[in-house]
Amino acid sequence: MNLHPNPGAEALRLSDPLSLPVAHQSIAAALRHAQERGLRVSVAVVDAGGHLLAFSRLPQAPLHTIDIAQDKAMTAVSFSMPTGALGELMSCAPEHVRTCLLLRPRMVPMGGAFPLLVDGRLVGAIGVSGASEEQDTECAAAGCHAIT
């Protein structure tokens, strides 16, 4: 992994674990998507272990979106699936399963986060919070597509 402050194209390869330059590239794409639509969001990227790798927030994004974006990313990486899909699965689950999962800290089963996969391997996740569920999902998708 190249940690040079001015990375070249080599540092942006996704064959290695998720690098900081790639995480920043993903966040930049998600924020650009949000800004073009006048949205105020927070964006978080976590590594495969769910540890925060990079974060940014647009001016005037509500403060609670900071934690929610991180928690959405954590949820996506821990289940290796988009948080919107997890929410749909949970709606079909027995009530005791839904209750148990929703009581878990950091569990956010609503749209706005995607796992980041490289060659089928989980390397991290991106989470967005601050707009509607659909808009958060669109921003996260923009961040995901920018690096895959």
Side-chain angles (χ1 to χ4, degrees):
M1 179 160 50
N2 185 348
L3 295 179
H4 190 276
N6 187 13
E10 173 119 347
L12 295 179
R13 288 182 314 127
L14 283 178
S15 60
D16 297 322
L18 191 60
S19 68
L20 187 57
V22 170
H24 282 246
Q25 181 180 341
S26 179
I27 287 175
L31 291 176
R32 201 168 30 255
H33 186 87
Q35 285 179 308
E36 290 169 356
R37 286 150 185 80
L39 306 174
R40 299 171 304 185
V41 299
S42 291
V43 183
V45 171
V46 298
D47 63 18
H51 305 285
L52 183 64
L53 182 60
F55 174 85
S56 191
R57 175 176 159 263
L58 288 172
Q60 299 179 350
L63 293 178
H64 68 273
T65 65
I66 295 168
D67 290 334
I68 295 172
Q70 292 177 50
D71 291 350
K72 282 183 179 183
M74 175 66 163
T75 302
V77 78
S78 67
F79 284 90
S80 190
M81 67 178 3
T83 51
L86 178 62
E88 290 174 17
L89 284 176
M90 284 180 61
S91 70
C92 300
E95 184 177 344
H96 70 282
V97 172
R98 282 193 310 272
T99 300
C100 180
L101 288 174
L102 289 173
L103 290 174
R104 300 295 309 154
R106 304 194 69 188
M107 174 66 102
V108 184
M110 62 183 185
F114 291 95
L116 299 173
L117 302 172
V118 175
D119 298 326
R121 186 178 69 153
L122 182 67
V123 296
I126 182 170
V128 177
S129 178
S132 72
E133 187 174 357
E134 181 178 293
Q135 291 166 324
D136 286 352
T137 299
E138 291 171 2
C139 293
C144 187
H145 293 308
I147 62 170
T148 57

